[in-house]
Amino acid sequence: MLGTGQRAYRAKQIYEAVYCAQTYDFSKMLTLPARMREELAGKLAIGLPEVAQRYESSDETLRYLLRLDDGRTVETVLMPEGERDTICISSQVGCPVDCKFCMTALLGLERNLTAGEIVGQVLVVARDNDLRKDGGRLNIVMMGQGEPLLNLANVLKATRILLDPGGFALSPRRITVSTAGIVPAIAQLGQEAVRPKLAVSLNASNEESRRELMPITRKYHLKDLMDACRAYPLRPWEKLTFEYVLLKGVNDSDADARRVVKLLANLNCKVNLIALNPGPEIPYRTPDAERVAGFQQIVRRGMPCFVRKPRGLDIYAACGQLKRSTAGEPLVRLQPQ
């Protein structure tokens, strides 16, 4: 802004117009002088991702395929539920972690997203659905494409914008970042004054099983991950979340459930169970509802444990299904429970 001959506070006015007022047209930023609005509108554009495709599920979940400036695409999912809306955003184009039950892993990693591209996903979905203007509650989960803690600098910058009272103005209680277990980055995240809540994708009850399902375990062992979680400095209102994808006949036994309770003992945490969301090229099956309930009952003896309801299965929008699938591909059929 200084290069245009304007005072520095004009940059703050533009920042507030974009992130707080959700105004993406310079000509409508009425806090700016008319001449400046005209000049900016003629020279610049607010660089939001472009909606390439929009898919709507029978359960009202929306999956967005968003095109970035370089032509690459990422996915963002909106899950409306009563008065609450949740936007699941991506942190990378693709993912390098190679979890064996996740369709996103099949893409590999193309590149990190910038902080602007991370926040831009929220802005596009909020604009498209008139969010934060109807009194509803909005949550952000960084659980889309990518491993957020391998792009930590940009994730933290995006978080600061989303939490900034002069920016998007969310509460820290409303943003969660999910990691496959990047141990050094967990410690780094815990030292940040402004940070999202932390969720850890566990998915196995012992080292051997986790190595098979999540090869990242060969570098960051389960014991080291648990040590990092015990050392993580929780805020007074905060719990750690552990996510556990249940795979039929692989990690869903009563013995697995008991080991999970032992593994997480003395941690201030809760567990979210996710029955596998199926997809092409994934060599695992979804457990029956009775098996999921049995696993939950055992884990509940030691800590709060919830079953995450699958959303958007019919449009490849559910957890683990984000692989930039198009309308021409066969969609997953819901399995009877």
Side-chain angles (χ1 to χ4, degrees):
M1 290 304 300
L2 292 175
T4 68
Q6 300 291 337
R7 295 184 180 274
Y9 71 86
R10 296 297 186 193
K12 184 173 184 290
Q13 289 178 317
I14 294 173
Y15 173 90
E16 291 174 345
V18 172
Y19 294 114
C20 186
Q22 295 174 249
T23 302
Y24 310 122
D25 183 343
F26 285 113
S27 67
K28 296 179 181 179
M29 297 182 183
L30 301 183
T31 54
L32 303 177
R35 183 174 178 180
M36 185 179 179
R37 296 199 304 267
E38 183 180 350
E39 181 182 355
L40 289 173
K43 293 181 178 179
L44 300 174
I46 305 298
L48 295 181
E50 174 192 350
V51 178
Q53 294 285 345
R54 182 177 181 270
Y55 303 99
E56 184 169 358
S57 170
S58 58
D59 65 15
E60 299 185 334
T61 296
L62 297 176
R63 177 169 66 90
Y64 287 83
L65 188 66
L66 299 179
R67 182 174 292 111
L68 308 173
D69 282 347
D70 64 357
R72 290 182 169 88
T73 56
V74 293
E75 285 163 297
T76 305
V77 177
L78 172 64
M79 293 166 282
E81 188 168 6
E83 295 182 351
R84 181 181 64 187
D85 295 296
T86 299
I87 304 176
C88 178
I89 62 177
S90 298
S91 57
Q92 297 177 308
V93 183
C95 185
V97 178
D98 196 29
C99 298
K100 300 304 181 183
F101 48 84
C102 179
M103 289 174 62
T104 312
L106 302 172
L107 295 172
L109 177 66
E110 295 182 32
R111 69 168 173 85
N112 286 334
L113 294 182
T114 66
E117 289 168 337
I118 294 171
V119 176
Q121 296 170 71
V122 177
L123 299 182
V124 167
V125 174
R127 177 191 63 188
D128 199 44
N129 296 277
D130 199 27
L131 302 183
R132 295 182 67 241
K133 297 177 182 175
D134 58 359
R137 297 181 300 166
L138 179 62
N139 294 320
I140 306 296
V141 293
M142 297 188 190
M143 300 180 183
Q145 290 182 11
E147 166 53 62
L149 296 196
L150 291 178
N151 187 20
L152 185 57
N154 286 317
V155 163
L156 288 172
K157 185 176 181 180
T159 299
R160 288 192 291 270
I161 293 171
L162 291 168
L163 298 183
D164 181 7
F168 201 71
L170 288 179
S171 162
R173 299 170 184 257
R174 298 279 182 205
I175 303 184
T176 301
V177 62
S178 177
T179 180
I182 312 301
V183 171
I186 290 174
Q188 184 180 346
L189 177 67
Q191 298 305 309
E192 296 292 327
V194 178
R195 65 179 188 267
K197 296 186 296 182
L198 178 63
V200 176
S201 191
L202 184 61
N203 307 318
S205 63
N206 57 45
E207 175 84 5
E208 181 181 5
S209 177
R210 197 169 193 271
R211 282 191 178 207
E212 291 182 8
L213 298 175
M214 304 178 69
I216 194 73
T217 309
R218 297 167 192 165
K219 183 172 184 179
Y220 301 116
H221 302 299
L222 183 57
K223 178 185 181 302
D224 297 329
L225 175 59
M226 290 298 101
D227 287 344
C229 291
R230 279 186 282 270
Y232 191 79
L234 293 171
R235 290 159 286 194
W237 47 266
E238 189 175 13
K239 287 181 181 288
L240 282 173
T241 297
F242 288 92
E243 298 158 322
Y244 196 101
V245 177
L246 290 162
L247 311 174
K248 186 172 185 177
V250 176
N251 65 352
D252 64 343
S253 69
D254 286 354
D256 283 303
R258 289 191 290 268
R259 283 193 293 267
V260 167
V261 173
K262 184 176 180 180
L263 191 65
L264 304 183
N266 302 318
L267 279 167
N268 183 13
C269 69
K270 64 179 181 178
V271 176
N272 284 339
L273 301 178
I274 305 165
L276 174 72
N277 297 313
E281 303 177 74
I282 300 300
Y284 299 105
R285 292 182 295 164
T286 305
D288 298 332
E290 293 77 13
R291 178 83 298 264
V292 175
F295 196 101
Q296 180 190 27
Q297 185 176 16
I298 293 171
V299 175
R300 268 185 172 171
R301 297 171 190 168
M303 61 211 63
C305 182
F306 307 93
V307 176
R308 189 188 298 175
K309 177 183 175 182
R311 297 294 303 272
L313 276 171
D314 56 335
I315 58 168
Y316 286 133
C319 181
Q321 289 189 319
L322 300 184
K323 195 194 167 210
R324 301 200 290 251
S325 303
T326 63
E329 297 184 38
L331 297 177
V332 174
R333 294 185 179 276
L334 297 179
Q335 295 187 359
Q337 296 292 327

